[in-house]
Amino acid sequence: MKRLMLAAMFAALGAGAASAADSVKLQLKWVTQAQFAGYYVAAAKGYYSDENLDVTILPGGPDIAPEQVIAGGGADVITTWMAAGLAARERGVPLVNIAQPFKSQGLEFTCRKDLGVSSTADFKGKTLGVWFFGNEYPFYAWMAKLGLKTDGSADGVTVLKQAFDVEALLKGEAQCISVMTYNEYGQVLDAGYKPDQLATFSYADQGVKVMEDGLYVMEDKLKDPAFVEKMARFVRASMKGWKYAEANPDEAAAIVVDADQTGLQTLDHQKYMMSEVAKLTAGSNGALDPADFDATVAALLSAVSAENPAITKKPEGGWTHAVTDIALK
């Protein structure tokens, strides 16, 4: 009888251990918004639970650098732009791209025509608003491509360290500012400007291919097969969330608003954001296209001589299909 009782006890303990979900901490690049809808949808719809995962989504913000968070052990996986990821890698934080949910770029530059900018030929002598904290790298690559200095000289441009809003353009402090298709561009329109009053330049259309929101982990973690398998389940569930969000943008926006603990996000704006974000994730199954990686590296290397280059040499490693090969089976 005692043996049977012990066997039953150990069986129960084993069943409990088997059912315990694997923990994953995801650090986002920015605050809770539709830019990250796929992850919130995956959590709300139970896609992570279906993969036996307990996922904690950590919002970002202006004082949070995902690359530093993961380097310090505060996250298992982060979202960040490829330029920032490669810059961190060259500077000693060995990040590796394990998946690329965003297939297209959302970064643009919008300018007020009434302030004298209708084409890139008008940039010379102007003040241009640029986001920093890793977001400046595509800008420097673009200026290098245009042959414009960024030192404030008469033959170049003056760089304004732009806040994460559109006030610099509205107040005329800069003739052009950085915007995302899914966020700040809409804010400029909401402020009363019409598209024909603006000159807007897509980085992609300008030939500056710099991939945006991807998923990154620390390289040494990939030596552990159990971690790779866990990340494969995470990516599979996340991409299921992204595809659901693409197909159901209004519902996805509502899920994001429900997840926003600050109470600052509005449903109307998140619906707008989600409709635009869906255009960027469309066509991605999660696996990084090596050609996109190579194009990003080429764009970043073109700005090596400019201020604050992302990278100074072609990176060794930097991405892997080890996770998506499993996730997509």
Side-chain angles (χ1 to χ4, degrees), residues 29 34-35 80-82 97 99-108 138 179-182 202-205 208-214 216 239 242-243 246 273-289 291-293 295-296:
K29 178 177 173 62
Q35 178 182 358
T80 195
W81 288 5
M82 189 171 286
N97 178 298
Q100 187 62 44
F102 276 44
K103 177 64 178 173
S104 303
Q105 296 167 257
L107 182 63
E108 293 184 334
V179 299
M180 301 304 296
T181 56
Y182 51 79
S202 162
Y203 275 71
D205 292 345
V208 182
K209 182 83 167 183
V210 180
M211 300 306 292
E212 294 168 3
D213 296 45
Y216 293 78
M239 290 310 300
W242 274 118
K243 295 308 159 183
E246 285 178 25
M273 287 189 72
M274 188 61 239
S275 67
E276 293 297 323
V277 167
K279 299 173 185 177
L280 307 184
T281 57
S284 172
N285 63 3
L288 172 68
D289 183 341
D292 289 339
F293 180 87
T296 297

Side-chain angles (χ1 to χ4, degrees), residues 6 23 44 52 74 87 131 134 186 189 192 230 245 260 270 275 328:
L6 286 171
S23 148
N52 198 36
W131 293 317
L189 298 181
K230 182 171 72 170
D260 174 34
Q270 291 310 304
S275 67
L328 296 173

Side-chain angles (χ1 to χ4, degrees), residues 85-95 301 309-315:
L86 291 177
R89 185 176 178 83
E90 184 168 303
R91 289 158 177 76
V93 180
L95 293 175
L301 286 177
I311 55 175
T312 60
K313 58 188 177 182
K314 187 174 182 179

Side-chain angles (χ1 to χ4, degrees), residues 9-302:
M9 181 178 71
F10 286 126
L13 287 173
S19 64
D22 293 324
S23 148
V24 175
K25 287 185 178 179
L26 167 65
Q27 176 64 63
L28 302 180
K29 178 177 173 62
W30 194 241
V31 299
T32 300
Q33 58 183 22
Q35 178 182 358
F36 313 107
Y39 311 111
Y40 288 110
V41 168
K45 290 292 182 181
Y47 300 155
Y48 290 136
S49 297
D50 291 344
E51 294 284 357
N52 198 36
L53 296 174
D54 177 14
V55 177
T56 300
I57 302 175
L58 304 170
D63 300 321
I64 297 174
E67 299 81 10
Q68 294 177 8
V69 173
I70 197 170
D76 299 298
V77 57
I78 65 171
T79 67
T80 195
W81 288 5
M82 189 171 286
L86 291 177
R89 185 176 178 83
E90 184 168 303
R91 289 158 177 76
V93 180
L95 293 175
V96 177
N97 178 298
I98 60 168
Q100 187 62 44
F102 276 44
K103 177 64 178 173
S104 303
Q105 296 167 257
L107 182 63
E108 293 184 334
F109 219 53
T110 197
C111 312
R112 282 172 50 180
K113 291 181 178 178
D114 66 320
L115 295 181
V117 179
S118 295
S119 72
T120 57
D122 300 322
F123 285 170
K124 189 179 296 185
K126 300 298 193 298
T127 297
L128 312 181
V130 182
W131 293 317
F132 277 70
F133 303 102
N135 302 300
E136 72 273 25
Y137 299 130
F139 170 79
Y140 285 115
W142 186 23
M143 292 301 106
K145 184 179 178 68
L146 293 175
L148 290 172
K149 295 181 180 180
T150 56
D151 56 2
S153 60
D155 290 333
V157 300
T158 297
V159 176
L160 172 70
K161 288 190 176 182
Q162 180 186 334
F164 290 94
D165 56 36
V166 300
E167 290 301 306
L169 186 71
L170 301 184
K171 294 178 179 178
E173 297 169 350
Q175 286 78 39
C176 307
I177 61 169
S178 302
V179 299
M180 301 304 296
T181 56
Y182 51 79
N183 197 357
E184 291 80 13
Y185 181 70
Q187 293 177 22
V188 175
L189 298 181
D190 288 344
Y193 285 91
K194 305 297 183 186
D196 62 1
Q197 295 177 301
L198 305 169
T200 300
F201 308 93
S202 162
Y203 275 71
D205 292 345
Q206 291 294 313
V208 182
K209 182 83 167 183
V210 180
M211 300 306 292
E212 294 168 3
D213 296 45
L215 292 169
Y216 293 78
V217 302
M218 295 292 281
E219 189 168 26
D220 62 332
K221 294 286 189 178
L222 294 169
K223 297 175 183 177
D224 179 3
F227 179 81
V228 172
E229 193 272 338
K230 182 171 72 170
M231 286 296 101
R233 286 183 279 135
F234 171 75
V235 168
R236 183 162 52 234
S238 297
M239 290 310 300
K240 188 174 180 180
W242 274 118
K243 295 308 159 183
Y244 188 93
E246 285 178 25
N248 304 275
D250 288 354
E251 183 183 351
I255 288 172
V256 169
V257 171
D258 287 343
D260 174 34
Q261 296 183 356
T262 69
L264 297 176
Q265 303 294 5
T266 65
L267 184 57
D268 284 347
H269 188 59
Q270 291 310 304
K271 284 182 177 180
Y272 166 78
M273 287 189 72
M274 188 61 239
S275 67
E276 293 297 323
V277 167
K279 299 173 185 177
L280 307 184
T281 57
S284 172
N285 63 3
L288 172 68
D289 183 341
D292 289 339
F293 180 87
D294 291 342
T296 297
V297 169
L300 297 177
L301 286 177
S302 72

